[in-house]
């Protein structure tokens, strides 16, 4: 009953003209920056922060939140149309989404991405409202050992991602981990693999790698094969999803929402894991698993749902503990502090307008995004009809601007060029970039949690099996590994026997 | 636009003081927008305070102040761009304990500026005391408990926002003082560290007051000791380290600086405006909530303060083994 009264109160706050207006502005800006490759929500929010000074705190946060989840929506557009991921989550969307676009199903891919995001956003918003405080205690029960084991599990299952040679994909994972280790060691402050370049002391930029390996490399490949391009621009296809596609997407959306809602609660890495996790799951369990790698709709629906669910539930640590889970949240904390509100454990009781107003606005914002995005799909798909010789220079320029805006540093642009060339080389050698990115994201986090767990257990490795959460993760990982290896061994034997 | 900027850079490198003076004499400063470089990512305390100050200053100066985040390499990348910028009063930096005291010691000759000689320091904006907080269930209420736990068989673990931070160096100082190793558990930033303390994974944290203040007020952590000269007005119940028998003081601070050679009238004007801004009730209240103390130094005092800080931290960085070489 309380929940309904509180939600009603929240909608009362969110439905005022001013708040609705700023929610809409936030969603539109978010969609726009999501669509522009590389320009992320952090750069945008920090630019727009001064605008919020004049607004009440609730209005400010509603707008900033709109930019944040609007960018998640918009990010999938360039991932699907141009193979250009701007964030960790959209890397996964490129895998099947871009393939769908190449098959002439860009409209369907964009539609399913929007609908899946909307559904997941609605469900996870209710989850935040109903059980935020309860979920907080789940997040708090995750210690360093548990995080390590969770990521270990993620890395083991990511071997499933291998499309082709397992050895090559393991090689790419390892290379990704090595790239992730570049920069300052968190434990000791030592510089690792920086070759005396100060810009590398905070590590290699994720956006540079992702845009280089996927987007730029793809441009080089397209320029090499003129015939592939004309096929691409010729095939716009029907915008609507077929009944078959709808039927296949629904279970994936449901699974993705569950995975995303749960992983989103874990600060630092949770949201990043969610879309990878959902993709791996779909590859294993969905009906269309045999189509993966050629543009399976499940591979777009699941991860998109997971990513949006996670972006909503990642507000839980901020709202219930006052602890920001990522850079965007940190900026929101900043906006609140400037408004004179100190986010903390009691924000729900102390600032009911803010808490419930934000939750209600998240639901309204998701609805607005759907309304903004669905009619736009036709327009986006038409972009593909633009001759490639006009298209690719503008993509490159936007990429350069976006990457530069991350830290106002030209070095990041050089990095992107480097990874573009490296990505081209990889595709010539048939090396997959996705496992490398998983290694890059998970590797450093695993190392950090491993060393922290060992530090806290005073060097006793038993901590990984003594903690129930950690032990369960490792057990699942071991089972997955065995289940994956057994058929391969059998197959190998069969082959040997035949010969 | 671009050619103007390039010309002023050339002038700056050439015969900076004279020519720059000429520019000032020609027209009143400021006559265009001012760039304020924050050498940290958006969202941190420095970034916040920079934006608060920028909003106040631009009203007084009549030209907009554009905050530009250039994070990286212990806040040295952003500071380096400013050290090399034209000394015309249109490029400023949020100088801070990392970029202008600790990082030069940590990164050694990789830092391509001198924290004192390459800057005209303008004003100390705020200093924040370091506070040690504990999980309420950890059974640590006083500094005596801290020492007892550190000397017990299990030892004591203290979380910080990162290796090489002033919070970390305070753990090193404390270890030396009590003659027992306190295990340092670094995190990526104060947020995750605070979460680990609230969850009880690490019993204690050495933190800058702004990131702890709300949690202390709301009781999710207990303040064990304030590492400053006097008790903090917003937390009068929290005794200092010194009161509890540990003569240590550690404030993190940040202020405003310009490239060396910026004309003195501009520096003086900025110092006056910042000081006036820091006296306004609005800023005072915000700083009090955050747990910070507004600065009162003249430009010359801020300069000699930085000289003292550089001398203070270099040996501690060596002792902590936190150098990046």
């Amino acid at each position: 009953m309380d929940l309904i009264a509180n939600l009603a109160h929240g909608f009362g706050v969110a439905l005022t003209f001013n708040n609705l207006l700023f929610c809409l502005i936030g969603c539109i800006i978010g969609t726009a920056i999501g669509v522009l490759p590389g320009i992320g929500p952090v750069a945008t929010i920090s630019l727009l922060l001064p605008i919020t000074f004049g607004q009440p705190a609730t209005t400010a946060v509603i707008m900033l939140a709109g930019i944040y989840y609007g960018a998640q929506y918009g990010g999938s557009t360039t991932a699907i149309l141009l193979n250009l991921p701007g964030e960790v989550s959209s890397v996964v969307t490129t895998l099947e989404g871009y393939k769908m676009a190449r098959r002439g199903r860009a409209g369907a891919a964009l539609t399913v991405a929007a609908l899946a995001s909307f559904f997941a956003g609605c469900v996870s918003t209710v989850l935040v409202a109903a059980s935020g405080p309860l979920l907080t205690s789940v997040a708090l029960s995750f210690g360093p050992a548990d995080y390590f084991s969770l990521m270990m599990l993620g890395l083991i299952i990511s071997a499933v991602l291998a499309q082709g040679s397992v050895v090559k994909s393991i090689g790419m994972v390892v290379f990704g981990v090595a790239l992730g280790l570049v920069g300052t060691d968190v434990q000791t402050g030592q510089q690792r693999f920086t070759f005396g370049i100060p810009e590398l002391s905070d590590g290699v930029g994720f956006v540079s790698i992702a845009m280089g390996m996927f987007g730029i490399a793809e441009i080089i490949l397209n320029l090499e094969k003129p015939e592939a391009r004309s096929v691409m621009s010729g095939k716009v296809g029907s915008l609507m999803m077929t009944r078959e596609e709808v039927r296949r997407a629904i279970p994936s959306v449901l699974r993705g929402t569950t995975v995303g809602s749960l992983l989103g609660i874990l600060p630092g890495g949770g949201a990043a894991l969610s879309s990878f996790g959902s993709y791996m799951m779909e590859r294993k369990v969905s009906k269309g698993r045999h189509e993966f790698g050629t543009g399976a709709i499940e591979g777009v629906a699941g991860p998109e749902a997971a990513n949006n669910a996670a972006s909503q539930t990642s507000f839980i640590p901020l709202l219930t503990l006052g602890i920001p889970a990522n850079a965007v949240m940190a900026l929101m904390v900043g906006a609140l502090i400037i408004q004179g509100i100190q986010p903390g454990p009691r924000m729900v009781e102390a600032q009911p307008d803010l808490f419930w107003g934000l939750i209600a606005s998240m639901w309204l914002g998701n609805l607005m995004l759907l309304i903004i995005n669905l009619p736009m799909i036709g327009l986006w798909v038409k972009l593909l009809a633009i001759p490639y010789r006009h298209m690719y220079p503008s993509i490159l320029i936007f990429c350069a601007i976006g990457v530069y805006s991350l830290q106002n540093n030209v070095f990041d642009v050089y990095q992107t060029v480097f990874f573009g060339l490296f990505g081209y080389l990889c595709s010539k050698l048939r090396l997959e970039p996705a496992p490398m990115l998983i290694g890059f994201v998970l590797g450093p986090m695993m190392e950090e949690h491993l060393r922290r767990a060992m530090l806290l257990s005073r060097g006793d490795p038993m901590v990984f099996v003594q903690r129930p959460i950690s032990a369960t993760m490792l057990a699942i990982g071991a089972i997955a590994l065995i289940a994956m290896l057994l058929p391969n061994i059998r197959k190998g034997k069969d082959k040997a026997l035949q010969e | 636009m671009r050619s103007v900027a390039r010309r002023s850079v050339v002038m700056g490198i050439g015969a900076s003081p004279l020519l720059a003076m000429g520019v000032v004499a020609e027209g009143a400063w400021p006559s265009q927008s001012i760039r304020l470089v924050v050498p940290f990512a958006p969202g941190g305390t420095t970034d916040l305070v920079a934006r608060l100050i920028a909003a106040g200053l631009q009203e007084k100066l009549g030209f907009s102040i554009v905050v530009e985040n250039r994070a990286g390499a212990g806040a040295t990348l952003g500071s380096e761009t400013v050290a090399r910028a034209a000394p015309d009063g249109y490029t400023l930096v949020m100088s801070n304990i990392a970029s202008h005291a600790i990082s030069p010691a940590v990164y050694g000759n990789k830092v391509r500026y001198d924290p004192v000689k390459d800057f005209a320091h303008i004003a100390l904006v705020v200093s924040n005391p370091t506070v040690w907080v504990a999980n309420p269930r950890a059974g640590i209420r006083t500094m005596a408990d801290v020492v007892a736990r550190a000397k017990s068989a299990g030892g004591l673990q203290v979380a910080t926002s990162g290796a090489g931070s002033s919070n970390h160096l305070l753990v090193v100082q404390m270890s030396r003082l009590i003659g027992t190793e306190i295990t340092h558990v670094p995190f990526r930033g104060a947020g995750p560290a605070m979460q680990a303390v609230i969850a009880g994974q690490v019993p204690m944290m050495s933190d800058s007051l702004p990131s702890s203040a709300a949690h202390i007020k709301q009781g999710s952590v207990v303040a064990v000791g304030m590492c400053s000269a006097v008790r903090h007005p917003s937390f009068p119940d929290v005794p200092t380290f010194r009161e509890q028998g540990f003569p240590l003081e550690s404030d993190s601070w940040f202020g405003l600086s310009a490239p060396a050679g910026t004309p003195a009238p501009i520096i003086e004007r900025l110092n006056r405006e910042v000081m006036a801004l820091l006296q306004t009730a609005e800023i005072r209240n915000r700083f009090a909530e955050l747990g910070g103390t507004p600065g009162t130094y003249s430009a010359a005092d801020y300069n000699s303060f930085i000289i003292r800080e550089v001398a203070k931290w270099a040996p501690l960085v060596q002792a902590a083994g936190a150098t990046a070489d």
Side-chain angles (χ1 to χ4, degrees), chain B residues 5 7 24 28 33 48 50 54 149 184 208 288 293 325:
Chain B
R7 205 177 309 140
V24 175
S33 63
L48 274 178
R149 178 67 76 87
H184 172 230
S208 185
T293 314
D325 290 316

Side-chain angles (χ1 to χ4, degrees), chain B residues 275-297:
Chain B
M275 288 304 131
L277 198 63
L278 293 179
Q279 289 309 314
T280 57
E282 196 199 343
I283 297 274
R284 289 203 82 89
N285 288 342
R286 291 288 149 79
F287 280 14
E289 279 163 28
L290 283 171
T293 314
T296 53
Y297 291 149

Side-chain angles (χ1 to χ4, degrees), chain B residues 48-134:
Chain B
L48 274 178
V49 173
R51 287 172 198 281
L52 270 176
I53 295 292
L57 273 183
Q58 67 187 17
E59 263 173 45
K60 300 198 171 210
L61 297 175
F63 281 90
S64 60
I65 296 184
V66 183
V67 174
E68 183 181 311
N69 297 88
R70 275 202 78 162
T76 60
L77 289 187
S79 306
E80 187 189 321
T81 42
V82 177
R84 290 178 177 183
D88 52 9
Y90 295 106
T91 310
L92 307 173
V93 63
M94 285 305 274
S95 45
N96 56 77
I97 189 168
S99 62
H100 282 75
I102 296 178
S103 295
V106 171
Y107 293 90
N109 57 14
K110 287 194 199 80
V111 175
R112 292 176 290 221
Y113 61 84
D114 184 302
V116 178
K117 286 185 197 133
D118 288 339
F119 292 89
H121 295 296
I122 299 166
L124 176 68
V125 172
V126 69
S127 60
N128 304 303
T130 308
V131 62
W132 280 30
V133 295

Side-chain angles (χ1 to χ4, degrees), chain A residues 47-106:
Chain A
L47 267 178
L48 292 178
L49 213 53
I51 299 175
T52 67
F53 291 173
Q55 297 294 329
T58 310
T59 312
V61 171
I62 283 176
M63 182 176 96
L64 298 181
I67 296 177
Y68 175 58
Y69 51 73
Q72 308 277 344
Y73 256 79
S76 41
T77 309
T78 41
I80 289 170
L81 294 179
L82 305 172
N83 203 29
L84 257 183
E87 293 183 64
V88 182
S89 50
S90 18
V91 168
V92 180
T93 312
T94 62
L95 296 178
E96 298 304 317
Y98 184 63
K99 299 257 168 55
M100 279 183 79
R102 300 213 75 150
R103 283 201 292 121
R105 299 300 300 151

Side-chain angles (χ1 to χ4, degrees), chain B residues 131-210:
Chain B
V131 62
W132 280 30
V133 295
N135 181 298
R137 293 180 305 278
I140 301 172
R141 305 275 149 173
T142 64
M143 292 308 287
D145 294 341
V146 170
V147 178
R149 178 67 76 87
K151 297 200 180 218
S152 72
L156 174 67
Q157 293 124 345
V158 177
T160 73
S161 57
S165 63
S166 58
N167 305 320
H168 166 209
L169 296 177
L170 181 59
V171 175
V172 175
Q173 277 178 291
M174 191 66 190
S175 294
R176 285 160 95 197
L177 194 65
I178 64 173
T180 303
E181 178 77 11
I182 297 172
T183 307
H184 172 230
V185 188
F187 284 77
R188 269 182 212 273
M194 180 53 81
Q195 177 153 355
V197 174
I198 293 175
Q201 286 144 15
V202 188
M204 284 200 78
M205 175 174 177
S206 169
D207 194 16
S208 185
L209 188 54

Side-chain angles (χ1 to χ4, degrees), chain B residues 201-225:
Chain B
Q201 286 144 15
V202 188
M204 284 200 78
M205 175 174 177
S206 169
D207 194 16
S208 185
L209 188 54
S211 32
S212 277
H215 297 283
I216 299 171
K217 277 186 198 142
Q218 297 177 348
S220 44
V221 293
V222 182
V224 173

Side-chain angles (χ1 to χ4, degrees), chain A residues 42 46-47 49-50 53 139-144 147 184-191 194 196 198-199 201-202 267 317 321-324 327 330-331 333-335 337-347 404 406-410 444 448 452 455-458 467, chain B residues 42-44 47-48 51-52 55 67-74 76-77 80 106-107 110 112 153-157 162-164 168 183-188 191-192 194-195 198-199 201-203 210 213-215 217-220 282 286 289-290 321-325:
Chain A
V42 177
S46 60
L47 267 178
L49 213 53
F53 291 173
L140 283 181
S141 65
F142 259 72
Y147 272 109
T184 309
D185 174 19
V186 175
Q187 301 291 322
T188 63
Q190 294 292 310
Q191 304 280 302
T194 58
E199 279 83 359
S201 65
D202 291 319
L321 290 175
I323 290 175
L331 274 169
V333 170
I337 291 177
I338 286 175
Q339 299 277 354
I341 293 172
Q342 181 66 259
R346 304 259 157 77
M347 212 156 77
Y404 177 79
L406 291 174
Q407 295 195 64
N408 300 315
N409 201 331
V410 193
E448 200 180 315
R452 194 172 293 139
L455 203 59
L456 290 172
S457 73
R458 298 160 58 79
R467 290 184 60 97
Chain B
D47 179 59
L48 274 178
R51 287 172 198 281
L52 270 176
V67 174
E68 183 181 311
N69 297 88
R70 275 202 78 162
T76 60
L77 289 187
E80 187 189 321
V106 171
Y107 293 90
K110 287 194 199 80
R112 292 176 290 221
L156 174 67
Q157 293 124 345
H168 166 209
T183 307
H184 172 230
V185 188
F187 284 77
R188 269 182 212 273
M194 180 53 81
Q195 177 153 355
I198 293 175
Q201 286 144 15
V202 188
H215 297 283
K217 277 186 198 142
Q218 297 177 348
S220 44
E282 196 199 343
R286 291 288 149 79
E289 279 163 28
L290 283 171
T323 51
D325 290 316

